[in-house]
Amino acid sequence: MKSIAVAIDGPSGAGKSTIARAVAGRLGFVYVDTGAMYRTIGLAVCRAGVLLGETEKIPAVLDDGLKVSLKYEAGTQHVLLNGEDVSSLIRTPEISKYASFVSAVPAVRAFLLDTQREMAKTHNVIMDGRDIGTVILPDAAVKIFLTASAQARARRRFLELQEKGETVTFDEVLADMVQRDHDDMARAAAPLRQAEDAILVDTSELTLEQSMEAVEDIIRRALEV
């Protein structure tokens, strides 16, 4: 039986990961957080002492035995860097900047492409990112573009960082959000954009539960599951 792929794209802080993870659990699909993969490479690049903008140094990091993998425990995804579980280390503002930086590098996207597509071939998946419906899984059965205003996304990220004990202001988070939106949409390699056949879901005025229900309803209606 052919596996089913659902692609969810959208800007940083739109809630893609949280919503995709929850809906995948409800539908019995495997959740694939591609953003976590780019964040993990960003962490590796940061640890290697590469500065933001030093694109020419990234291939050496990739070629140095770098391995990014996912594992699932009790339905929760963990991302591994050379066997180390770095799930809790890749969500800082610094690594967010590195993730945006490395995701614009064609060598990095090629490094992860086969891994991402293989998952979709062997499992029913909900995969979220910035170019899933446009590049990674252009033939996905369902495509959704999940977004929210920059202010709404910054507010959610600010509260999340506060809960983690991060010292940061709302204005700083908003500025980072706006800059990352610009970087993601302006990059030459697989820029962030809505696929022509993707359904737009704006969660600016929705609660998390309402957002989950909206996405789940779209998928169920499309697949009749």
Side-chain angles (χ1 to χ4, degrees):
M1 182 177 180
K2 184 179 179 180
S3 57
I4 299 171
V6 176
I8 300 181
D9 291 307
S12 176
K16 299 186 302 296
S17 298
T18 301
I19 293 169
R21 183 186 299 109
V23 174
R26 294 177 181 182
L27 297 177
F29 282 31
V30 171
Y31 165 61
V32 181
D33 179 3
T34 62
M37 294 179 170
Y38 288 106
R39 285 175 175 272
T40 301
I41 292 182
L43 177 63
V45 168
C46 181
R47 284 179 171 180
V50 177
L51 300 179
L52 293 172
E54 293 183 329
T55 305
E56 71 282 357
K57 295 184 179 180
I58 291 179
V61 179
L62 299 177
D63 294 338
D64 191 27
L66 180 67
K67 183 177 181 182
V68 176
S69 57
L70 301 177
K71 71 174 181 179
Y72 297 86
E73 294 180 349
T76 300
Q77 176 187 272
H78 295 263
V79 60
L80 308 180
L81 172 59
N82 297 331
E84 174 191 359
D85 189 335
V86 296
S87 304
S88 63
L89 303 178
I90 60 174
R91 301 294 175 180
T92 67
E94 179 183 27
I95 299 307
S96 291
K97 293 177 182 178
Y98 268 92
S100 186
F101 166 49
V102 302
S103 66
V105 178
V108 173
R109 308 196 75 82
F111 181 84
L112 292 175
L113 181 60
D114 289 343
T115 298
Q116 294 164 348
R117 285 183 172 170
E118 188 59 31
M119 289 179 179
K121 289 180 181 179
T122 55
H123 301 86
N124 290 337
V125 302
I126 294 182
M127 189 177 297
D128 76 285
R130 304 253 188 316
D131 64 342
I132 309 304
T134 55
V135 177
I136 308 300
L137 302 176
D139 297 322
V142 183
K143 298 179 185 178
I144 295 172
F145 193 83
L146 190 69
T147 191
S149 68
Q151 289 75 14
R153 290 182 284 123
R155 183 168 59 251
R156 295 167 186 170
R157 181 60 57 82
F158 175 64
L159 294 174
E160 177 184 305
L161 293 172
Q162 277 193 320
E163 290 177 357
K164 293 181 179 180
E166 297 280 348
T167 302
V168 64
T169 68
F170 172 79
D171 287 342
E172 289 172 335
V173 175
L174 177 58
D176 284 344
M177 192 73 68
V178 171
Q179 183 62 51
R180 189 166 188 194
D181 285 351
H182 174 270
D183 293 344
D184 288 343
M185 291 186 288
R187 70 191 183 201
L192 169 66
R193 64 179 179 83
Q194 181 179 341
E196 292 183 0
D197 53 346
I199 299 172
L200 178 67
V201 178
D202 189 323
T203 68
S204 299
E205 304 299 327
L206 301 181
T207 65
L208 179 58
E209 182 59 35
Q210 289 172 331
S211 300
M212 292 176 181
E213 290 176 354
V215 169
E216 181 180 359
D217 183 62
I218 289 171
I219 296 172
R220 286 189 180 279
R221 286 176 179 274
L223 303 179
E224 295 185 352
V225 298

